Amino acid sequence: MRDFLKIAAASAVGTLVGLFSLLLLMGLGAFGLVGVLLSSGSSEPELEIEDKSVLVFDLATDIVDGAVSDSGAIFEEAFYGGARSVSLYNALQAIEAAADDEKISGIYLKGSPQEGLATLKEVREALSQFKESGKPIWAYNTGFNERDYYITSVADNLVLAPVGLMEINGFRAETQFLGNALRKYGVGVQVLRVGRYKSAVEPFTRSESSPEDKQQTEALIGDLWQEFVQTVSNDREVSAEQVQQLADEVGLIEPEQAVELGLVDRLGFYDDVLLGLRELSGVADEEDENEIVVDLEDFPQTSLTEYAQVAARERNRNFGGPDDTVAIVYAEGEIIVGNETLPGSVTSQGLSDTLREMRKDEEVKAVVLRVNSPGGSAIASEVIADEVKLLAEEKPLIVSMGDYAASGGYMIAAPGAKILASPTTITGSIGVYGLLLNFQEIANNNGITWDVVKTAELADMETTARPQTEKELAIQQGYVDSLYERFTGIVAEGRDISLSRVGQVAQGRVWTGEDAIAADLVDELGGLEDAIALAAESAELEGDYQVKEFPRLPTFEEQLLNSILGTGTVAISQLPWNKDPLTDELLKLREDFTLLEQLNDPNNVYMRLPFTTDIE
């Protein structure tokens, strides 16, 4: 089945990428495109920040756990009108620098974020600290859902369009189950699993959640919801009880009611906000016969991604101390077997090589391993965990958990000296599973049969032409059991707790970061910058030290060029044209196929969170 899915996914992805490449080449010309790509890698002039500039933070910017190069800004600007990605560290540092920068008059938040609550919490805390400088934060949108409101509620000038709505109706976890459909069409599914709570297999075998999965999911989204409620009530003139009542009884809050409740400061359209920002930046409106004739968007401003580059260059320029470095090593995305460094994936050899380099680099005195991964391949996870262990034996290694650090993502975190998590980090899920699919029934019903000749009884154990025998299932379950024992052993050794204690909190159960402290899986709550400070303290670094990010991810134009030349893929869903709803759904389906294609463990055994559960 895995090979079938890989072929299907490769065909679908290849067709989409091929069509896009053809259209792009027809529009720009092959030589012109290559010229644009190559020229974008040339040196860029340093940006100059005007006096009283507004720092414009488009929340649609991808805040990634990765070392983003700024060399692709020109090319991305040609597509988007501005670079679209920035590392979390650089985003936090930019907001901090803006508070002390006399040229920055305030911050303007616009758009809608896509990151999880753990990442948004770190950004929100940086914005709260920015407000202590006395500079204002403006925020505007035509409507707010919970994710939007979680971060924009920090603003002291929060504006909602008079025609907009606020959606505060609670969080839900919705899981799609395929069990009945697979049975209906004659696709057989056999499960290998260790862990009562390891629910990643359930969408393929059941029609509803098991009691164990429902229990852990209710606890998980309950904690996430309480984080939202408490955060909002702390910054706005509304109590936690009122927020809960709104979610239970109202759901969709109309603009006038939002103002009355203190959820927003006032109503206004985009032009009203622009007038406020122009006043903030000291721009006088020119008038002719009592009519404004200037472009309202024409005032001193800089985007977060631009300003992050300026702040980073200023930090590097001012660093004059010894070559003491705290390295941030990012592990973001699916954990897969592979050699290359790929955006959105953690490859076994790629990350292992980076960790080995950090171990051998004498200038690197301490390492922060930033994990934002739901897990993946069992083999790849254990290969990386071994390198983490070796590094932790030689240098201080602090783990910072992002939105997810679960299953295989937790395995690679466990050997760290200290583990820090956000209250909303999804972690744990210490368990192993495998799915064995066969197509005997659906094939036979359509006139397809197989015959096999073999030299040993188990030679066709990996076939999809029939169900596995009891003997074959027992052999493979034994392998899964041994993986689980190794997993719990890595956790017990890394966390310095007993195997019996690991057994109590494992079983595939998912925890929030706050609950994971009581479960002995996390040491304390804290964000990326807390982890950096702890790493420096552990390495006894006094005074100046520099922070470097690894590994460098391919830029957008490098991905696109590789895609056109057939050596890589580009994220189709990031392309800049407006998509209709049908196209959007097709692109989501394409991303699901890509995920299935990435399930490349040689033994088809995985340590991963459920595939089809969306929390909204």
Side-chain angles (χ1 to χ4, degrees):
M1 176 60 175
R2 187 190 69 177
D3 292 337
F4 169 77
L5 290 172
K6 289 179 71 173
I7 292 171
S11 176
V13 173
T15 300
L16 286 171
V17 172
L19 286 172
F20 165 71
S21 302
L22 178 61
L23 292 171
L24 188 61
L25 288 172
M26 290 174 63
L28 296 178
F31 293 106
L33 176 61
V34 172
V36 170
L37 292 170
L38 294 178
S39 65
S40 67
S42 59
S43 60
E44 300 176 36
E46 289 196 15
L47 296 167
E48 292 291 336
I49 306 300
E50 297 181 57
D51 288 336
K52 293 190 174 181
S53 288
V54 175
L55 178 57
V56 179
F57 185 175
D58 186 347
L59 296 174
T61 300
D62 293 326
I63 300 176
V64 300
D65 283 312
V68 179
S69 170
D70 62 3
S71 64
I74 291 177
F75 188 71
E76 291 193 9
E77 185 171 359
F79 273 88
Y80 298 114
R84 297 282 293 191
S85 58
V86 62
S87 73
L88 174 62
Y89 175 70
N90 279 334
L92 298 178
Q93 287 291 299
I95 296 170
E96 181 180 332
D100 298 325
D101 191 340
E102 295 180 354
K103 292 186 175 182
I104 298 297
S105 58
I107 291 178
Y108 170 45
L109 306 177
K110 67 175 185 176
S112 297
Q114 299 300 319
E115 289 75 26
L117 285 188
T119 298
L120 294 181
K121 181 177 179 63
E122 295 197 48
V123 175
R124 197 183 191 284
E125 289 177 347
L127 292 170
S128 293
Q129 292 174 6
F130 173 89
K131 285 171 56 175
E132 295 178 3
S133 68
K135 300 177 183 180
I137 297 178
W138 283 71
Y140 168 78
N141 212 327
T142 54
F144 296 102
N145 60 27
E146 284 95 348
R147 192 189 303 266
D148 303 331
Y149 192 59
Y150 178 77
I151 190 166
T152 56
S153 58
V154 72
D156 36 27
N157 291 283
L158 183 55
V159 184
L160 173 65
V163 294
L165 282 174
M166 291 191 67
E167 179 188 279
I168 297 182
N169 59 347
F171 292 164
R172 77 177 191 276
E174 189 171 280
T175 303
Q176 182 183 73
F177 291 91
L178 308 176
N180 289 340
L182 293 174
R183 284 187 289 272
K184 176 180 178 180
Y185 291 104
V187 178
V189 181
Q190 294 169 295
V191 170
L192 308 170
R193 179 172 69 166
V194 182
R196 292 187 300 116
Y197 293 91
K198 198 64 180 175
S199 60
V201 298
E202 292 184 2
F204 302 95
T205 60
R206 299 177 60 93
S207 58
E208 60 182 9
S209 298
S210 66
E212 293 84 359
D213 185 45
K214 185 159 290 188
Q215 174 194 355
Q216 69 174 352
T217 303
E218 287 175 350
L220 176 65
I221 65 172
D223 287 347
L224 297 179
W225 174 244
Q226 288 307 310
E227 164 65 21
F228 170 84
V229 170
Q230 291 300 325
T231 299
V232 168
S233 63
N234 288 340
D235 265 334
R236 309 304 301 180
E237 297 178 1
V238 58
S239 67
E241 293 75 18
Q242 285 178 302
V243 175
Q244 185 64 55
Q245 184 179 11
L246 289 172
D248 290 334
E249 300 177 6
V250 182
L252 297 179
I253 304 166
E254 296 193 25
E256 292 78 9
Q257 186 180 12
V259 174
E260 292 173 4
L261 293 170
L263 296 174
V264 300
D265 295 301
R266 61 189 179 89
L267 305 181
F269 288 103
Y270 182 49
D271 284 359
D272 300 318
V273 175
L274 291 178
L275 288 172
L277 295 176
R278 287 173 63 82
E279 182 179 345
L280 176 63
S281 56
V283 176
D285 293 330
E286 299 174 7
E287 298 186 4
D288 181 14
E289 295 181 355
N290 298 321
E291 292 186 3
I292 298 175
V293 295
V294 297
D295 182 357
L296 290 180
E297 294 186 345
D298 184 17
F299 58 88
Q301 59 184 282
T302 180
S303 70
L304 177 70
T305 48
E306 290 175 339
Y307 190 73
Q309 295 175 30
V310 173
R313 288 170 181 167
E314 194 65 23
R315 290 197 307 273
N316 295 334
R317 184 181 293 119
N318 292 337
F319 181 78
D323 293 329
D324 291 342
T325 298
V326 174
I328 306 175
V329 176
Y330 293 105
E332 180 178 42
E334 297 290 323
I335 300 177
I336 62 175
V337 174
N339 297 320
E340 299 179 2
T341 299
L342 301 173
S345 296
V346 181
T347 60
S348 54
Q349 198 59 46
L351 184 55
S352 294
D353 288 345
T354 300
L355 293 168
R356 197 174 301 113
E357 290 173 12
M358 299 302 99
R359 178 157 50 96
K360 295 179 178 179
D361 191 335
E362 295 182 357
E363 293 184 2
V364 174
K365 307 302 182 183
V367 175
V368 172
L369 177 61
R370 175 71 176 188
V371 182
N372 197 355
S373 170
S377 163
I379 287 180
S381 299
E382 193 162 345
V383 166
I384 295 169
D386 184 63
E387 282 295 338
V388 174
K389 175 185 175 182
L390 294 175
L391 177 55
E393 289 173 349
E394 294 192 20
K395 299 179 180 181
L397 191 153
I398 308 299
V399 175
S400 170
M401 291 181 167
D403 297 322
Y404 300 91
S407 208
Y410 186 79
M411 174 185 273
I412 69 175
K418 292 282 186 180
I419 298 179
L420 277 62
S422 165
T424 57
T425 295
I426 298 174
T427 188
S429 191
I430 301 169
V432 186
Y433 75 91
L435 282 175
L436 306 173
L437 282 72
N438 74 84
F439 304 98
Q440 184 181 60
E441 183 179 343
I442 188 174
N444 291 172
N445 290 341
N446 289 277
I448 301 172
T449 58
W450 290 268
D451 195 5
V452 62
V453 177
K454 54 187 180 180
T455 61
E457 182 181 352
L458 300 174
D460 60 340
M461 188 167 64
E462 296 182 355
T463 183
T464 59
R466 59 168 177 79
Q468 300 282 291
T469 66
E470 290 186 8
K471 180 178 181 179
E472 291 167 338
L473 287 174
I475 291 171
Q476 294 175 84
Q477 183 64 50
Y479 174 64
V480 170
D481 291 341
S482 68
L483 282 178
Y484 181 71
E485 290 178 7
R486 292 211 297 272
F487 194 165
T488 55
I490 289 171
V491 174
E493 181 181 0
R495 300 295 301 151
D496 194 23
I497 57 179
S498 67
L499 278 171
S500 61
R501 176 54 176 159
V502 177
Q504 293 172 359
V505 300
Q507 296 293 326
R509 180 159 184 174
V510 175
W511 307 85
T512 60
E514 191 155 15
D515 288 342
I517 294 178
D520 295 322
L521 299 178
V522 168
D523 291 295
E524 58 187 85
L525 298 178
L528 178 59
E529 293 191 314
D530 297 314
I532 293 170
L534 182 56
E537 179 184 343
S538 301
E540 298 181 348
L541 299 181
E542 298 180 358
D544 289 339
Y545 61 87
Q546 59 182 336
V547 177
K548 293 185 177 180
E549 300 171 284
F550 302 90
R552 188 189 74 81
L553 298 176
T555 62
F556 179 85
E557 74 273 17
E558 288 172 341
Q559 296 178 55
L560 184 59
L561 182 59
N562 287 341
S563 175
I564 293 171
L565 298 180
T567 58
T569 60
V570 66
I572 299 296
S573 60
Q574 295 178 359
L575 294 175
W577 51 71
N578 293 324
K579 300 185 290 290
D580 61 88
L582 177 59
T583 302
D584 195 47
E585 288 302 314
L586 290 174
L587 292 177
K588 290 178 182 177
L589 181 61
R590 177 263 180 196
E591 291 173 358
D592 290 341
F593 270 112
T594 301
L595 173 60
L596 291 170
E597 186 182 23
Q598 289 177 337
L599 298 183
N600 66 347
D601 187 281
N603 297 312
N604 294 331
V605 181
Y606 301 95
M607 302 170 176
R608 196 194 185 282
L609 286 174
F611 295 101
T612 56
T613 299
D614 291 324
I615 298 177
E616 296 180 357

